[in-house]
Amino acid sequence: AQTVTQSQPEMSVQEAETVTLSCTYDTSESNYYLFWYKQPPSRQMILVIRQEAYKQQNATENRFSVNFQKAAKSFSLKISDSQLGDTAMYFCAFTRPPNFGNEKLTFGTGTRLTIIP
Amino acid sequence: DAGVTQSPTHLIKTRGQQVTLRCSPKSGHDTVSWYQQALGQGPQFIFQYYEEEERQRGNFPDRFSGHQFPNYSSELNVNALLLGDSALYLCASSFGLAVSRETQYFGPGTRLLVL
């Protein structure tokens, strides 16, 4: 079974600074997908970024980027120029490759990120 | 375009009762997944519906059951409620079963409190 571990329950950073959230996972699969989801206080979960394990290039989405270390099974999220709207719970998630009918998201326990004005 | 909607937003039940939660997927989506998010925890997969059939199931007892209707909306039913069933129940929709490639859109959730 796959597991996802987020070892930082809470983090805070000053507005405009850069912050990195950590995630490690365990799997025996060679290909898989990793995600970072954001859950603001309004509760609606939003996809931030997605990474396919076979792709060596780290994914980026505007101010959000990942550091994917496949051998170390590490998948960290870097938020640059942090904004007050980035305040939220951040969840790391894993799913197996597109194998018809066998995909589901496995989530970590989350990191509560607070951006300080 | 309405996103994923869920009803009700909050619900209070007592132990032993039964509850039904509802989800309408985002327009154009045909797959619905349900997750349970206990306080301070990440969401846990309950089950997934596609073409009105349960396609996958997580590690949840048979007290948890569901249904998908021809219009792709879905219900989650929980029988014989336990205190431990208190949680935020999230519905997510996508197009097709490949949740790795197709983005899942989540609803705001239903907060269930069992007393």
Side-chain angles (χ1 to χ4, degrees):
Chain A
Q2 292 79 21
T3 58
V4 178
T5 302
Q6 295 179 251
S7 59
Q8 304 155 311
E10 293 189 33
M11 295 185 73
S12 60
V13 67
Q14 293 288 137
E15 191 177 5
E17 291 187 347
T18 295
V19 61
T20 299
L21 309 183
S22 301
C23 171
T24 58
Y25 57 93
D26 188 27
T27 182
S28 58
E29 306 276 357
S30 58
N31 194 25
Y32 42 86
Y33 287 74
L34 295 163
F35 306 82
W36 279 98
Y37 275 87
K38 169 186 177 180
Q39 188 176 41
S42 65
R43 302 187 313 204
Q44 202 135 3
M45 194 91 70
I46 304 164
L47 176 65
V48 174
I49 202 163
R50 178 197 343 242
Q51 174 82 41
E52 182 180 359
Y54 266 139
K55 292 187 177 179
Q56 294 186 352
Q57 187 172 6
N58 288 325
T60 61
E61 287 288 343
N62 301 313
R63 297 183 296 109
F64 298 87
S65 61
V66 299
N67 184 6
F68 173 50
Q69 302 288 328
K70 191 173 184 180
K73 296 183 180 176
S74 170
F75 183 61
S76 60
L77 174 69
K78 185 172 83 171
I79 306 174
S80 304
D81 186 25
S82 57
Q83 301 174 359
L84 296 179
D86 296 333
T87 293
M89 282 290 289
Y90 285 82
F91 292 97
C92 179
F94 170 102
T95 189
R96 295 169 66 183
N99 194 8
F100 188 80
N102 290 327
E103 295 176 69
K104 63 178 183 181
L105 289 174
T106 299
F107 287 88
T109 52
T111 296
R112 183 178 301 281
L113 176 65
T114 301
I115 308 301
I116 303 166
Chain B
D1 173 28
V4 181
T5 60
Q6 293 186 243
S7 62
T9 56
H10 295 82
L11 205 51
I12 300 176
K13 292 285 188 179
T14 56
R15 281 178 297 175
Q17 284 190 313
Q18 179 264 344
V19 68
T20 297
L21 311 181
R22 295 175 176 81
C23 171
S24 291
K26 179 178 169 64
S27 178
H29 286 182
D30 55 8
T31 303
V32 172
S33 300
W34 286 93
Y35 294 83
Q36 180 195 66
Q37 187 177 11
L39 199 61
Q41 300 295 315
Q44 289 202 340
F45 176 78
I46 303 175
F47 42 52
Q48 179 185 64
Y49 277 85
Y50 174 72
E51 293 186 336
E52 302 180 48
E53 290 186 5
E54 183 183 295
R55 296 299 179 132
Q56 292 190 78
R57 190 179 183 89
N59 189 25
F60 280 80
D62 292 344
R63 298 187 297 109
F64 289 76
S65 63
H67 188 79
Q68 186 179 34
F69 299 93
N71 67 353
Y72 308 119
S73 66
S74 177
E75 287 182 349
L76 163 65
N77 301 293
V78 187
N79 294 323
L81 284 167
L82 304 174
L83 296 180
D85 295 331
S86 295
L88 180 67
Y89 288 84
L90 298 171
C91 168
S93 74
S94 58
F95 178 71
L97 291 166
V99 298
S100 56
R101 291 187 303 237
E102 298 293 333
T103 300
Q104 281 198 322
Y105 288 81
F106 283 79
T110 294
R111 175 75 67 189
L112 172 65
L113 178 60
V114 182
L115 301 176

